[in-house]
Structure formats: structure tokens, C-alpha cells
Amino acid sequence: MKTSFVSNLSSQLTLQRAITQAQKELQQRTAEASGDGRHWDVGVVLGAKTSRSLNMHRDLDRLTSLLSTNSLTETRLGASQAALDLMAGSAENVMSKLTLFKDSPAADDRNKMKDELKNALQVFTGAANTTQSGEYVFAGVNSDVEPFKDYLAAGSPAKVAFDTAFNDFMTSNGFTNDGTATGTPDPSKITPEAMQDFLTDLEASFNDDDYWKANWSNASDETMVSRISTGEQVQSSTTVNTEGVRKFAFGAVVAYELLALDLGTDTRNATFDVAYNSIANSVTGVNGEKTKLGISQERIKKANDSLNAQKDILTTVIVSLERVDLTEVSAQVKTLESQLELAFTLTARMQSLSLLNYL
């Protein structure tokens, strides 16, 4: 009788390969069941549909990005609206103070009014230089530069320009103590007609872009524009170069500098009317900018509603393509665990087989 050599090595190797494969598959199924519910390898499962899935993911990322930038734009618009409220409130405060002191030409009252106007100018200037996330919201596209120059600051170019213009006006018209160009300026000698002419020329200067930017503004005329959807853009900022801001600056300076002087009654009334009307117009202008930005805010809300709806649709479609059946996967996990347990048991038994145990 002939005997043959028998080995259990091949059987052990077969079981080891089966165990390795089962462990790999168990890892994948477990990740699918406990993770985000996507197929472990979407490309393998979807095949030719993979490109469709990738395109939808790209569209979803784009929508998410738009929603994120819209959130930042809404924050900037909110800060702008709050600042515009302060600016309009400051202008209205000036109007009330002017009305209060209109018929109070005494020196003490004039000084009190000047202090009130100084405070209002400071509040307006602070609001005009509002920042959001390190950017000046009223600087236009020059968002890294403080837009509104402080009239009350030492060496203010706007203050220097006004003083120069007013001194030239006084001396050239002989409104001095001795009626000569070399005499001491005497505001009480200014006639209503002359004051009106001076204020008309001064207002024209404030409306001149070169004068305004040289003395008052560092802002750009170009406002920021933000894309809020694939086919829609909105104005997302305003600047201190608008008419409302210029009207306030002109009216506040006239009131601050001239109504505190010892003017004649008629001249004082003429000056008051110009200052008051300019500041009243500034409130209208500032509120007009608020309305523009409010329209942008409303358009962003509607765009967000549309973007969120599109995002929900894409998410639903992507899930239907890539999502696994959790019930089936859980069953597969249990089956694989049972198979592995059995394989480990068989492997252990086969490894214990040896002829030595029977000799």
C-alpha cells in the first residue's frame, strides 16, 4: 500500500484569504452604517452615473458658497443700516438744537449750541467711519481706508479750507472793524445778501468732487457690488460721497462756525435757514441710502430662499444616488461578523491538526 503526504496548509491559506476579504468588507459596511450613510466607494457603485453625482456636488458647493457670502453681505448691510440710523439721528438732533437756539443770540446760548453741534458732528463722523470685519462700510471699494475726514481734528483740511474761504470773504468785502482789508474781521457787519452769496459759493464747493475729496472724503465713488445668486448682483454698500452726507457736512459746518458768531438778526436768520434746510435735506438723502440698502437686503433674503430650495433638491437627489440601505447594510454587518467568527474557529482547529497528536 502506498501512502501520500497530506498537508492542511492550502486550506489554512484559503481561510486566511477569506478572513482578510471579510474583514475588509466588514470595515466598509461598518463605515457605511455608522458614518454618513454613503456608499464606501461611490464610483464603483454608481459607475457611469458618477459624473452626474460629481456635477451635483459641485453645484451644491457653489450654492453653499453663495449662501456663505450672502451671510457676510447681510452682516455688512446690517452694520451699514445701523450706522445710517445714527447719521440720520445725528442730523435730526442738529435740527432740533438749531430750532431750540434760533431765537437765542446771547453769547452763552451761542456757545451752548456750538457744543451741541460739536457732539453731533462727532457722532456723525464716528458713524460714517463704521467698520465691519475690519472694513470701512462707507468707503466704497476703498474699504481699507477711513472714508470720512474728521472736521474737528487738529489740522483738518476741511477746517483750514473753511477758515481760508471765510477770512477771504470777510476781508474782501470790508467786513472789518475799520472797513479795510487789513482790519479785524467783524461778523456783525455782514449783510444778509453778502452772507447768502458766500453760502451759495460754499455749498457749490461741497458739491465739487475735487474739493470734497481733497478736504472731506477718502472714499471711492464706486460702491461694492455682491453676487447673491448665479444671475443676480446687488449694491452692498454706500459711500460718504453721497448727497446726503455732503448736505450734512455743509449744514453742520455753517451752523457750527457761523451761527456762533455775533451776527445781525437778519444775517443770522438767513444763515439759520441755509443750515437748517441743508441738514433737513441730508436726512432725506441718508434715508434714501437706507432705502437702497434695504432693497438689497430684501433681494438677498429672496435669493437665499431660492438657493436653499435648490440646495434641498440637490441634496435629495444626491442622497438618492449615494445613500445605502441602512437595513440591508446592518444585516450584512451581522452576516460578516458571523462568517468571521466561524472562519476564526475553523482556522484555530485546522492549526491544531497534527500527526504528532495521533502518534
Side-chain angles (χ1 to χ4, degrees), residues 73-122:
T73 302
E74 284 182 306
T75 301
R76 183 170 62 247
L77 286 171
S80 298
Q81 291 283 31
L84 289 171
D85 282 336
L86 281 175
M87 293 161 74
S90 179
E92 290 169 349
N93 183 50
V94 170
M95 292 169 63
S96 67
K97 299 304 180 184
L98 289 178
T99 302
L100 179 64
F101 289 105
K102 178 180 180 182
D103 299 321
S104 302
D108 287 345
D109 288 339
R110 295 200 307 269
N111 289 333
K112 289 179 182 178
M113 182 192 65
K114 190 166 186 176
D115 288 339
E116 295 287 352
L117 291 171
K118 180 179 179 180
N119 291 335
L121 261 170
Q122 289 173 332

Side-chain angles (χ1 to χ4, degrees), residues 23 31 35 94 98 104-105 114-115 124 153 182 225 247 291-292 323-324 351:
Q23 287 177 326
V94 170
L98 289 178
S104 302
K114 190 166 186 176
D115 288 339
F124 190 94
T182 58
V225 176
K247 289 288 186 184
T291 300
K292 289 180 183 178
R323 185 74 66 181
V324 298
Q351 287 177 342

Side-chain angles (χ1 to χ4, degrees), residues 201-310:
D201 291 341
L202 182 64
E203 185 172 20
S205 296
F206 276 72
N207 292 328
D208 179 75
D209 287 341
D210 292 336
Y211 175 92
W212 178 254
K213 292 180 179 180
N215 298 301
W216 285 90
S217 171
N218 293 315
S220 166
D221 290 331
E222 184 181 356
T223 59
M224 297 183 70
V225 176
S226 300
R227 179 173 295 281
I228 61 173
S229 68
T230 54
E232 188 177 9
Q233 296 178 328
V234 298
Q235 176 184 333
S236 57
S237 74
T238 184
T239 80
V240 296
N241 296 337
T242 57
E243 182 180 8
V245 178
R246 298 191 195 209
K247 289 288 186 184
F248 176 84
F250 169 71
V253 166
V254 169
Y256 179 78
E257 297 289 359
L258 301 181
L259 289 179
L261 300 177
D262 184 19
L263 302 173
T265 300
D266 291 341
T267 302
R268 181 179 176 81
N269 288 338
T271 305
F272 173 90
D273 289 342
V274 170
Y276 187 90
N277 290 334
S278 181
I279 293 173
N281 288 333
S282 79
V283 174
T284 302
V286 170
N287 286 334
E289 293 303 311
K290 285 188 62 186
T291 300
K292 289 180 183 178
L293 297 185
I295 292 173
S296 294
Q297 287 176 305
E298 186 62 29
R299 289 175 64 186
I300 290 175
K301 289 179 181 178
K302 292 181 178 179
N304 283 345
D305 290 341
S306 176
L307 292 173
N308 280 315
Q310 295 176 57

Side-chain angles (χ1 to χ4, degrees), residues 40-97:
W40 175 266
D41 191 332
V42 175
V44 171
V45 176
L46 295 184
K49 294 182 180 179
T50 303
S51 60
R52 181 188 176 195
S53 176
L54 291 174
N55 289 336
M56 286 191 291
H57 273 290
R58 185 183 65 248
D59 291 341
L60 186 61
D61 289 341
R62 177 171 50 81
L63 293 175
T64 302
S65 177
L66 283 171
L67 286 167
S68 178
T69 56
N70 283 357
S71 177
L72 295 175
T73 302
E74 284 182 306
T75 301
R76 183 170 62 247
L77 286 171
S80 298
Q81 291 283 31
L84 289 171
D85 282 336
L86 281 175
M87 293 161 74
S90 179
E92 290 169 349
N93 183 50
V94 170
M95 292 169 63
S96 67
K97 299 304 180 184

